[in-house]
Amino acid sequence: MQRLAIITSHPIQYYAPWFRYLACTKDLDIKVFYLWDFGITQQVDIKFQKSFQWDIPLLDGYNYEFVLNTSSNPGTHHFWGLQNPSLVAQVHAYQPAAVWLMNYNYASLYQFIWRWNHRKAPLLFRGDSHHLLPNKGIKEWMRRQVISTIYRRFAAFLYVGKANYGYFRYHHVPPEKLFFSPHAIDNERFYAQAATASEQAKIWKQELGIPAEHQVILFAGKFEAKKRPLDLLQAFLKAQLPQVSLLFVGSGSLEAELKSAATGHSHIYFAPFQNQSLMPRTYAIADVVVLPSYGSQETWGLSINEAMCLARPVIVSNHVGCAQDLVHPHENGLVFPAGNISALTDALRVAFTDPKRLKRWGDQSRHIISRYSYAQATQGLLQALNSLQEKF
């Protein structure tokens, strides 16, 4: 039985089901060390700009413990938001064979990386950053050197997709240290709720006032600059699609500006933040799900995984980390150049040209996402751990 310590910032709705899956994996004993209690208590999300806690179980079915966070301003929105002086001692007490970090760019984790005896229990890292929007200049050169130096402390890496693989290689991680562990969500939960969600969506559509005969374009997430919801609104207005409505679901810093820009235009609707139990219904209302993000911060876009589980066609920008992996142009959706509103307008027009084709795209989404599951993600993790056993 191999002991694996997992260090991550806080309970996350996408990872908790995977930890439960890992807890049932043969010959693997895991313990998760959380550095903050966000998600299980009522707290304000900085980017959503609202207080909530997730309404699905995040701590059931696996071994975990919280590490006291002494930060005066706890959170993952700044470097000093995670300060956990007892982290090394608590992980050491577990006596792991390996330690898997899911973050590193916080004060507490830098201290752990440099203090931990990685020769006794090697370090494993899983990240999802990409380099799809290259930067140049001395600052970028220095940043590359610093990150490459940090990565030399790790014995193996899990990459979630093609763009992430390129990011690790850019930072001089050798191919033999890289193992494919795709980004995944709890596919089974979404599959199981698909039929019920479709019935709920019909009722919700009526409650929102969206005409029954209208197809729906959905944006679901934070209303923030990197997500570019205003790009989608402008593209929708330019496309002038007959019998198609646009629905924004979520909240955030751009909410007032977004609603102001929509004022006076018909068939644009808004719904508040939806908790996890309502996400299947949220995607079920859509005929197309759009993620028009710009920049390097949309490292993957797990909302696209969720939408595809509900057999939804997807349109994403080429800055979305999952674009190369999950979106097969003209098979299950479209990819457009980030920030190009005209290109997004064209993509919307193409998508709604043929309703039967759009349905086929959705079916293909469901097929593609079946290969991005906790089973596949775990396979990559086990391959990495086996490689470490051979070396240490």
Side-chain angles (χ1 to χ4, degrees):
M1 183 72 71
Q2 185 169 193
R3 285 191 165 196
L4 175 65
I6 304 172
I7 303 175
T8 190
S9 57
H10 60 287
I12 294 174
Q13 71 273 25
Y14 302 119
Y15 294 146
W18 188 18
F19 296 155
R20 284 194 287 274
Y21 184 97
L22 291 174
C24 298
T25 301
K26 184 180 178 182
D27 298 328
L28 187 62
D29 179 12
I30 71 164
K31 187 169 189 177
V32 182
F33 294 84
Y34 286 120
L35 309 184
W36 181 36
D37 64 355
F38 181 83
I40 59 167
T41 59
Q42 193 82 12
Q43 296 186 46
V44 174
D45 184 287
I46 299 296
K47 294 183 178 179
F48 270 123
Q49 295 191 341
K50 71 179 274 85
S51 177
F52 70 93
Q53 67 184 88
W54 296 117
D55 64 355
I56 60 172
L58 298 181
L59 300 176
D60 294 353
Y62 62 93
N63 191 14
Y64 70 90
E65 67 182 62
F66 284 92
V67 184
L68 179 65
N69 185 7
T70 61
S71 174
S72 59
N73 181 19
T76 55
H77 58 290
H78 68 115
F79 179 79
W80 300 105
L82 302 178
Q83 297 186 54
N84 310 84
S86 63
L87 178 59
V88 171
Q90 288 183 236
V91 175
H92 184 267
Y94 176 57
Q95 295 294 298
V99 182
W100 167 20
L101 276 73
M102 303 183 77
N103 322 83
Y104 72 85
N105 201 22
Y106 299 98
S108 185
L109 293 171
Y110 275 116
Q111 292 174 14
F112 181 88
I113 290 168
W114 296 114
R115 291 177 58 197
W116 183 254
N117 184 353
H118 62 278
R119 292 179 179 84
K120 184 176 181 181
L123 299 180
L124 171 70
F125 180 66
R126 184 178 191 258
D128 58 7
S129 297
H130 61 65
H131 196 61
L132 296 174
L133 185 61
N135 295 316
K136 297 180 180 180
I138 187 64
K139 287 186 177 180
E140 172 59 20
W141 181 86
M142 292 176 63
R143 184 175 182 273
R144 184 181 187 187
Q145 303 313 307
V146 169
I147 293 175
S148 298
T149 299
I150 294 167
Y151 283 172
R152 283 198 287 271
R153 301 287 291 184
F154 292 91
F157 296 77
L158 304 177
Y159 68 94
V160 301
K162 294 175 182 177
N164 183 220
Y165 180 89
Y167 179 85
F168 284 133
R169 293 292 293 121
Y170 174 76
H171 290 97
H172 308 297
V173 176
E176 61 270 20
K177 285 189 174 184
L178 290 163
F179 300 86
F180 181 47
S181 179
H183 248 325
I185 63 160
D186 190 358
N187 290 2
E188 298 303 323
R189 178 169 75 88
F190 281 82
Y191 296 159
Q193 296 181 35
T196 302
S198 294
E199 294 304 313
Q200 293 173 337
K202 293 176 184 177
I203 299 170
W204 192 37
K205 189 175 183 179
Q206 185 176 15
E207 292 173 349
L208 291 171
I210 300 174
E213 69 277 10
H214 274 215
Q215 293 176 287
V216 175
I217 300 167
L218 174 68
F219 174 99
K222 299 180 178 75
F223 300 161
E224 58 181 345
K226 78 169 186 179
K227 301 281 188 181
R228 300 296 275 256
L230 285 163
D231 285 9
L232 177 57
L233 191 151
Q234 293 177 49
F236 174 75
L237 295 176
K238 288 178 65 177
Q240 296 184 329
L241 302 167
Q243 293 193 320
V244 177
S245 290
L246 173 61
L247 173 60
F248 289 101
V249 177
S251 59
S253 59
L254 292 180
E255 183 169 356
E257 184 177 356
L258 200 57
K259 288 182 175 179
S260 176
T263 300
H265 300 288
S266 57
H267 306 310
I268 301 175
Y269 301 85
F270 291 85
F273 164 85
Q274 305 291 297
N275 214 316
Q276 277 297 294
S277 65
L278 293 175
M279 290 313 296
R281 181 192 73 169
T282 301
Y283 295 111
I285 202 173
D287 294 276
V288 172
V289 175
V290 182
L291 186 56
S293 304
Y294 187 98
S296 61
Q297 294 183 42
E298 192 66 79
T299 53
W300 182 262
L302 284 163
S303 62
I304 297 302
N305 293 61
E306 293 176 329
M308 290 172 64
C309 282
L310 267 293
R312 287 328 186 236
V314 291
I315 297 175
V316 305
S317 82
N318 63 346
H319 287 181
V320 174
C322 70
Q324 298 177 48
D325 303 88
L326 297 186
V327 189
H328 301 183
H330 299 281
E331 292 183 21
N332 75 310
L334 297 166
V335 180
F336 70 95
N340 189 328
I341 295 173
S342 294
L344 177 53
T345 302
D346 291 341
L348 294 176
R349 288 172 176 161
V350 169
F352 286 96
T353 298
D354 185 344
K356 291 183 179 179
R357 182 184 62 189
L358 198 60
K359 174 64 167 58
R360 290 197 299 272
W361 285 6
D363 292 340
Q364 186 64 11
S365 277
R366 174 67 171 74
H367 174 70
I368 292 169
I369 205 62
S370 67
R371 302 193 294 271
Y372 289 76
S373 69
Y374 292 145
Q376 280 82 0
T378 300
Q379 183 179 12
L381 170 63
L382 294 177
Q383 288 172 348
L385 291 174
N386 289 337
S387 77
L388 297 183
Q389 280 188 320
E390 294 171 2
K391 295 176 183 177
F392 291 87

